[in-house]
Amino acid sequence: MRTQMGSLLILAVVCMLNGGAAEQATDPAQAETPAQRDERMQWWREARFGMFVHWGLYSGLGGTWEGKAVGTRGGMEWIQQYVKADTDTYAQAAIPKFQPGPDFARAWARLAREAGCRYVVLTSKHHEGFALHDSAASEYDAGSVLRRDLVKEFVDACRAEGLRFGFYHSVIDWHHDQYAYGLSKQLPHPLKDKPYPNGERDHGVYLDFLHRQVDELISNYGAVDILWWDYSAQDFQGDAAWRAFDLMRKVRAKQPRIIMNNRLFRSPEAGWASMGTDGYMPQLDPKYGDFITPEQHIPATGMPGVDWETCMTINTTWGYSEHDHAWKSAQTLIRNLVDIASKGGNYLLNIGPKGDGSVPQESVDAMRRIGVWMRKNGESIYGTQASPFEKLEWGRCTRKPLANNITRLYLHVFDRPSEARLVLPLANRPLKAFLLDGGSSLKAEAVGNAIVVPLPAALPDADATVVALEIEGAPRL
Ligand code: GLC
């Protein structure tokens, strides 16, 4: 009897535990309170600036196929799709050109730190299907082909430079022989509209493989900060396409503090309005992911209450192309970072290293120039909140609450107003104002229902001069 009672008790406890697990399986975010979520998101919200790295077999091809430029604009990590190559033809052309040097990862990590980035996201596998880690689940990976684990080299380098890191992982796969591309009309595949070369395909077998590779990535490299999924279509997404909730639950079970984007889904509840890269919505139920990813685009106004990150290229391609010379100026990039911070978002700025891992000089120069600006003005970006103002003709604003009921506003002046002063529609008492770089003080006075800050004769920084203005209390417009 005693033993029977004991087993009943154990049975009851086991049932309770299983019940909890089952609930988590359907909704991985449900177990977390909003306060716990804020705590998990804190470093990411404060970071504001990260570096994206697109690197894979396509990097060696550099936008050239059979001696000809495939294009001068657009994502050349899609080159296999553009030339409609089957995976064997593609691999044969690309593998000999993918020859990573010994110290590529340290150079990237140093560049990211010099630029002022707080985190780096690397393509562990792009749509081409080639995995950069040493994968036991595949022969199409750096371990099998190069006898190296490029993900480990990357992770070690990020840790050495004190950077957070994450993996971009493509759920689309142009290599795997069971990836059933016929199930979606919207997702790209080089063989689209053609019959499967191997007859039937069992997408479930591909999903086992996908889950297994992701498991390797979250099991073999210690704490991973970000999983950046890519991507889904309205006609193929979520559970049906990727067993998405199960995948997210497995990831969170091993990496409880990880931050994931919403690209395993493509529905309005998950923050998506359409298939366009700017087709996102200012809403996101956390069970679909932690943040929204406007691509090549800065939302006109912020998205209050939603975490978002604009990812962007420095020229127009994610993966390296020797033919793309449409480089954005450092000033544009600095102002983009400021603009994004003023709207409460993060900036994930991309580099596309070459097949040997070296970074195009234009990208190195741009990143370093951002770094020069950030060393002087980073305080106006890291850990700041969105602007309280709807629009400022001359620039942007971020803010930070200080102790003793003081708010510090960071006024980023892009264009010197002709009347040579900043006029802010604020009813607060101004306490002090100064140039963030160098600290020389400026006058700040209340005039009617506004605060007026006269500017010096010349603005010291042509990219963005930052005026710090301290006011009493939270901004009152
Ligand atoms: C896209 C593209 C891709 C790129 C990515 C970055 O969806 O397919 O090539 O890696 O977005 O956001």
Side-chain angles (χ1 to χ4, degrees), residues 36 43 70 74-75 96 109 159 186 207 261 268-269 276-277 305 314 337 347 392 409 423 452 474 477:
Q36 284 169 330
W43 75 262
V70 171
R159 292 217 170 97
Q186 291 171 312
L207 293 184
N261 75 2
E269 318 83 79
T277 51
I314 300 184
L337 175 58
Y347 198 23
L392 298 167
L409 300 172
V423 182
V452 177
L477 275 85

Side-chain angles (χ1 to χ4, degrees), residues 52 54 58 75-78 123 126-127 168 172 174 188 228 230-231 263 266 277 293-296 311-312 318-319:
F52 215 171
H54 273 70
Y58 47 82
M76 282 304 142
E77 70 289 349
W78 279 43
T123 50
H126 206 271
H127 308 337
Y168 161 112
I172 296 171
W174 298 337
W228 215 101
D230 200 32
Y231 72 77
R263 289 195 180 188
R266 199 104 189 180
T277 51
T293 56
E295 184 173 318
Q296 302 284 37
C311 53
M312 198 182 277
W318 302 96

